[in-house]
């Protein structure tokens, strides 16, 4: 039981930034944002205090992947308004 399944993205739908919670148990995860075609738009390291800027993205549906090293720990969708 790793706790990864409890991580969620908020707010969803979002305007300018997204956050992940709860992240207190994880020192650092890699966050990859892609469009629905799988094109990578953003890749960054996040921790408990991180916010992810998405203001530059057009309105639409996007995917996020959280990884620890090469292990994918969470995949989900969010809406950018």
């Amino acid at each position: 039981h790793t706790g990864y399944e409890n991580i969620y993205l908020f707010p969803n739908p979002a305007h300018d930034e997204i956050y992940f919670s709860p992240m207190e148990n994880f020192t650092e995860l890699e966050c990859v944002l892609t469009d629905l075609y799988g094109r990578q738009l953003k890749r960054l390291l996040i921790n408990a205090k991180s916010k992810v800027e998405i203001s530059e993205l057009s309105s639409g549906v996007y995917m996020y992947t959280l990884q620890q090293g090469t292990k994918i720990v969470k995949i989900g969708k969010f809406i950018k308004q």
Side-chain angles (χ1 to χ4, degrees):
H1 199 35
T2 60
Y4 294 121
E5 60 277 355
N6 297 326
I7 297 175
Y8 64 94
L9 172 146
F10 70 95
N12 192 6
H15 289 282
D16 296 324
E17 51 205 30
I18 53 175
Y19 301 86
F20 292 92
S21 183
M23 288 285 294
E24 294 77 26
N25 300 331
F26 312 110
T27 52
E28 208 167 59
L29 294 176
E30 185 172 37
C31 176
V32 180
L33 302 184
T34 60
D35 63 17
L36 293 180
Y37 299 103
R39 290 185 291 237
Q40 183 176 301
L41 305 171
K42 195 166 221 176
R43 179 181 217 112
L44 65 157
L45 293 174
I46 61 170
N47 60 35
K49 296 176 178 40
S50 295
K51 70 178 177 188
V52 179
E53 284 287 332
I54 59 165
S55 55
E56 75 280 3
L57 300 180
S58 302
S59 296
V61 179
Y62 295 91
M63 301 292 297
Y64 68 88
T65 304
L66 298 180
Q67 296 177 209
Q68 189 162 47
T70 57
K71 180 183 176 197
I72 293 175
V73 297
K74 183 85 172 192
I75 296 175
K77 267 188 230 181
F78 70 95
I79 297 168
K80 162 71 161 76
Q81 289 188 326

